[in-house]
């Protein structure tokens, strides 16, 4: 059984933003300018918040937690 399409989409977006953030943190330029990584972190946190907000009201996610 899979989760709802919105859960899947939001999780995919979060994973993508997390990957971008981790890549920015490990980049050589991070030592010179942390602003790029900080922007990626904000994007990742927004995606995480969107996912958590949806999952708090998603009937499928609520059933899985029970």
């Amino acid at each position: 059984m899979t989760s709802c399409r919105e859960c899947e989409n939001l999780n995919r977006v979060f994973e993508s933003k997390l990957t971008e953030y981790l890549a920015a943190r490990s980049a050589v330029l991070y030592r010179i300018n942390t602003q790029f990584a900080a922007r990626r972190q904000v994007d990742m946190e927004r995606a995480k918040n969107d996912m958590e907000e949806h999952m708090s009201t998603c009937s499928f996610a609520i059933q899985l937690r029970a």
Side-chain angles (χ1 to χ4, degrees), residues 8-37:
E8 290 173 355
N9 184 46
L10 290 168
N11 189 47
R12 227 180 347 264
V13 170
F14 169 68
E15 292 293 329
S16 171
K17 297 299 182 182
L18 177 61
T19 300
E20 290 174 3
Y21 168 64
L22 294 174
R25 283 287 314 257
S26 65
V28 174
L29 292 176
Y30 178 73
R31 295 180 186 186
I32 299 168
N33 186 353
T34 59
Q35 191 175 30
F36 180 72

Side-chain angles (χ1 to χ4, degrees), residues 40-64:
R40 294 290 184 228
Q41 183 178 14
V42 169
D43 291 344
M44 183 262 307
E45 291 293 339
R46 284 182 181 147
K48 180 180 173 186
N49 289 340
D50 290 345
M51 182 179 66
E52 289 175 346
E53 182 179 319
H54 170 75
M55 292 182 85
S56 71
T57 60
C58 176
S59 60
F60 184 83
I62 291 170
Q63 287 176 353
L64 284 179

